[in-house]
Structure formats: C-alpha cells, structure tokens
Amino acid sequence: MKLLYVSEAYPWPLTGGGIMRHYHLIRGLSQQHDVTLLSLMPPTLNPDFPPSPIESLCSEVISLDFRTLRPLAVYLRYHPYAPIPKRITNALFGPWSMPGARWSCREIVDAIRPVVARGFDAIWADQSYIAEAVWYAGGRRLVADVDDVLWTMQQRELAQMPAYQSKPLHYLEMVKLSLYERSLPRWIDRLVLSKDADRRYFSGNPNHIHVIPNGYDAVARADASHEDPYTLLFVGSLDYAPNQVAVKDFVRDIFPLVRARVPAAKFCVVGKDPPQEILALDDGSAIRVHATVPSTLPYYERAAVCVSPLQLGGGTKLKVLEAILRGLPLVATPVSMEGIPLEPGRHFELATSADEFAVACVTLLNDTARRARLRDTGAREILLAEFDWDRIGAKAAAVVETLHRSGSP
C-alpha cells in the first residue's frame, strides 16, 4: 500500500517525545507499507547527530519549509497576542481554529497539493491541523495522529495563569478549539490518540478512533549501588514550557518543605536547552541544574527518588516511562501519569498538592526499604509490554489496513 506520511517536522534526530513518536511510527509503518515522507521542515544538519535512517525507511523523502511558505501576515494575524479586534473577528467568524488557520493558508496548501495529487492509498498526518491542511490540498483517506489534545493543554495553562488582559479572549478561542477538535472524527477517516482517556473527549464514530500509546526504548536499569540517598531527580527537556513550570514550582513550593524535614536533601535537574531562569535556580549545592548531557544514566544511578511534578501539558510523559524503566522510585502528579497503566501506592507515589508531594518525597528519602520495594514492583515489565515500539508500529500499520479495507473514498 502506498502511504504518504505528512510530518510537521523532520523526525530525526530523536531530541523530543513528539519526534521520537513519529520516527518510530514511520519505522513501523514502513515494515508493511510503501511510505513517502513529506516533511514540512527540512532536516537538521548537525555533524554531532548520527546519520538519519529516515531515507532508508522511506521510498522517498520530500522536504518543504513552512517558515518560508507561510506569509508573515498570516503568522501575525493568527498570533495568540494579535490585535484584539482581529482576534475577536477570527474567533467569532473565522472558519478555522487558531492552529488550523496558521497551517491552512493558501501558500502551504498549494505546496502540499502536488504531492497529494500523486495518488496514495492513505495519508497519515502527525497533527490534526496538518491533516486539515492536507484535506484542503485534496487529500482523502486521512489518519490524524492527535498525540496531544490541544484543548486540554490550553485549558490547563489558562487555569494556572493569573488574570491578564487577553485571558477572556483566550478562553473564547479555547471554546472554538474545543468545538474543532471534537468534530475531528466526523471528517477525518481515522483518529489516533495516545491514551484511552482521551476517547471521551471526541464525538463521532467510535470505531474510527484508535489508541496508539507513546513508547520508549528498553533502557537498562540503573545500578542502585551508586545511590545518593538524599538526591531527588527531575529529567526532562527544559525548552518545554510545562517542564519549566514544573521545575520552578518544585523549587518554590515543594523543595523548601522537603528541606525542612530532610536538611541534607538535594534537587538535581537534568535536561536540554534550559533557559536562563532555570539555570539561575542552581545554587551550587542543594540545587544543581545540568544542561544537555551525553547520558542521563549516571544521574539516575545517583538519584534516590525521581520526581515529576507536572501540572501542564498533555500526552504520555516519556521521561516518566524512562524513570520507571530505570527502576527509580517515583513521585508524580496525576498529569504526569496520564496514559500510564500503573497503580499508585504500589508502583509509584501519587501526589495531588505541594504538601502531598513533599510528604511523599520525605517519606521515601527516610525509608530505604520503601525505596527498594518501589524499585522492584513489576512496573518495568508492565511498561515493556505496553510501550514497546515494535508493538506500537504494528498497531499503526493495522490502523492503515482498516482504512484501506473500509474502502473510504
């Protein structure tokens, strides 16, 4: 079967969760289908990265650059802080949601159209708004991969933010985004979600909705003999806003409570591309921030407990999967554990407030036996079975097969 995979960004190198997901989906799909990749951004040329295997997986790779295709006027018109009269008009009378409008401009659609016109048995788009642009370009038999529900992410972000002038308008735009996302199963042939809990959000034919989780490579367990019994560890991309907020919230609201009970406690933050405000948290002793590192394994081996205090974001948190696969005791919020089928109190410690989070951290730092039990609960085996990339790739190929068998026009 001839499959066109349309990606917002070139899916290599594997520098983030979204890129990792789309690379492995392409790898899985290419084992059963003839895949052409249309990337709306060119590949990153960096000699420090290993060579891309994408060309060997795909029969053809076509690269565009949406940054040069999209007119500045379109970018400014649909910017989240564009002039208020223009945004009110867009929200009340425009045909698209804000993300869809930025991608469905004539210039991007016209660039996609000749590729779509070659004729494919199915088209996989790696975001709902990419699918919308493909649809306007004439693409049919569409699969849209919605690994993050945009409404959920925006609603959480607005709820956390203090009052500001544009906030009511952002809520209005969020309502329109919700209506748009809920309509997806009515005009997209197959909708792919990253977690089962997102099904209830969408209307339309439930048989057209499939769940394909994020995955993670089977990394080795950390050697607990190197453990520093007072180190709390956070690992995550620090150019990602929800991770930045989580780290700052932990330092401000949780870590002082931990230090009051365990004065020797230390907080280690590891992640790529931290902004200056995160680097400034490093005090040289109790709090250390490590930017892009060759390997996270030494930090996992020294840590006593991993923490994931996220309140924002969507999808499955890949660094939570990594922490558990490394065998670390974990304290996490409900947002951090979305889509991960583990049992709180048995496989990890769940905390819903700053006080609960601090108590869980203190308890684990003071209880060597409890940490040892959490390192060996069977959680690793559950994740290896559920989030194996080969299994996930086979699920993606099966979705395309169901679309082909259905004979959708």
Side-chain angles (χ1 to χ4, degrees), residues 1 85 112 114 163 194 302 346 372 378 383 408:
M1 185 188 308
I112 295 172
S194 67
R302 286 196 293 271
R346 179 183 176 191
L383 297 192
S408 297

Side-chain angles (χ1 to χ4, degrees), residues 229-272:
Y230 297 109
T231 295
L232 301 166
L233 173 67
F234 176 92
V235 180
S237 297
L238 295 173
D239 56 355
Y240 180 52
N243 284 344
Q244 296 170 13
V245 172
V247 169
K248 289 187 289 186
D249 287 351
F250 187 88
V251 170
R252 184 188 67 235
D253 300 329
I254 300 171
F255 193 53
L257 301 177
V258 175
R259 290 271 290 182
R261 300 276 299 277
V262 186
K266 292 170 281 189
F267 181 41
C268 179
V269 181
V270 179
K272 71 181 183 71

Side-chain angles (χ1 to χ4, degrees), residues 238 273-283 287-291:
L238 295 173
D273 300 330
Q276 186 57 43
E277 60 183 334
I278 298 297
L279 291 172
L281 299 174
D282 189 323
D283 63 7
I287 301 173
R288 301 307 309 269
V289 177
H290 302 272

